[in-house]
Amino acid sequence: GAVVSQHPSRVICKSGTSVKIECRSLDFQATTMFWYRQFPKQSLMLMATSNEGSKATYEQGVEKDKFLINHASLTLSTLTVTSAHPEDSSFYICSAYTGTGIYEQYFGPGTRLTVT
Amino acid sequence: GDSVTQMEGPVTLSEEAFLTINCTYTATGYPSLFWYVQYPGEGLQLLLKATKADDKGSNKGFEATYRKETTSFHLEKGSVQVSDSAVYFCALRPTDSWGKLQFGAGTQVVVTP
């Protein structure tokens, strides 16, 4: 089946620094990737939709300048959390969508970000 | 707006017991409905889906029927195994959305031997 990887799986950074999270589709091309945020014991919250070669579309309330998304190729999207603060600590999950009509998103294993 | 409500967990049950996880939704039009499963340390996997009213999705012994009259998509399995221990998410894709998913809060299921 389709596999999506995320790197790193866990990261700890100091307040004020930036962190980049990679999302890769390993065996298929993803025209669209989604980035979600999951708080403990809560649901996934869609942050943004990333289309290859174009600007990401952010959901209401998500700061574009804080969460920079780049989708430079059909197999890679990156999320950069800029000037991170402790409240940005969360579990970030990406998914990849082929856009071919199967209507299935393939999810990565997630990245645990802790900002100290 | 669109929303998904599912029963809170954790749900703890013994092996071979019957499992039901309730899921109801609020949406306009005719959304597609999904159940995803997240095993410990892994990403979400699609378990089953239904794209129109009265459709029944099934996979790995799990079933769910799209009930438009009750706006529900309850997940059931007749005989659970320890390996079914996971977090289960109900989700919908709105009628006018080609990819976006709206998730429920997730229900943790713990199956004991």
Side-chain angles (χ1 to χ4, degrees):
Chain A
V3 179
V4 176
S5 70
Q6 281 185 241
H7 178 79
S9 58
R10 293 176 180 271
V11 58
I12 301 172
C13 70
K14 293 187 177 181
S15 187
T17 61
S18 295
V19 173
K20 179 184 286 187
I21 301 170
E22 293 185 348
C23 176
R24 294 181 184 272
S25 56
L26 298 184
D27 49 5
F28 67 101
Q29 292 185 330
T31 56
T32 301
M33 289 183 173
F34 299 92
W35 286 95
Y36 295 87
R37 185 172 178 176
Q38 185 179 26
F39 292 98
K41 298 186 178 181
Q42 292 189 32
S43 183
L44 282 72
M45 180 190 76
L46 180 64
M47 299 174 65
T49 302
S50 169
N51 291 303
E52 186 267 337
S54 63
K55 289 184 178 180
T57 302
Y58 291 81
E59 296 299 300
Q60 193 172 11
V62 178
E63 298 178 60
K64 301 178 183 181
D65 294 333
K66 168 168 271 301
F67 299 100
L68 301 179
I69 291 172
N70 182 276
H71 193 160
S73 76
L74 287 172
T75 60
L76 174 64
S77 176
T78 60
L79 168 68
T80 301
V81 182
T82 63
S83 187
H85 288 93
E87 57 265 29
D88 298 325
S89 298
S90 191
F91 196 55
Y92 293 88
I93 301 174
C94 73
S95 70
Y97 178 63
T98 64
T100 59
I102 298 177
Y103 307 121
E104 180 171 346
Q105 289 184 32
Y106 300 94
F107 286 81
T111 297
R112 172 74 61 192
L113 170 63
T114 302
V115 184
T116 60
Chain B
D2 298 332
S3 67
V4 177
T5 303
Q6 60 182 106
M7 60 189 290
E8 290 187 21
V11 174
T12 303
L13 56 167
S14 300
E15 207 166 19
E16 298 184 3
F18 185 88
L19 171 68
T20 298
I21 304 176
N22 290 338
C23 171
T24 57
Y25 68 90
T26 301
T28 55
Y30 301 90
S32 296
L33 301 175
F34 305 82
W35 276 101
Y36 282 85
V37 58
Q38 186 178 31
Y39 298 103
E42 298 184 17
L44 275 71
Q45 300 173 27
L46 178 65
L47 183 58
L48 52 85
K49 65 179 184 287
T51 58
K52 60 183 187 296
D54 299 326
D55 266 4
K56 177 185 283 188
S58 62
N59 185 28
K60 298 181 180 180
F62 290 89
E63 291 184 342
T65 301
Y66 189 143
R67 301 286 189 199
K68 188 162 179 64
E69 64 275 15
T70 55
T71 63
S72 66
F73 192 54
H74 305 323
L75 182 68
E76 297 181 337
K77 185 174 184 181
S79 177
V80 293
Q81 305 299 312
V82 173
S83 57
D84 294 324
S85 298
V87 180
Y88 293 81
F89 292 91
C90 185
L92 70 80
R93 188 179 70 242
T95 309
D96 59 352
S97 167
W98 46 267
K100 289 183 182 180
L101 294 172
Q102 180 74 41
F103 284 90
T107 302
Q108 183 179 12
V109 173
V110 178
V111 181
T112 59

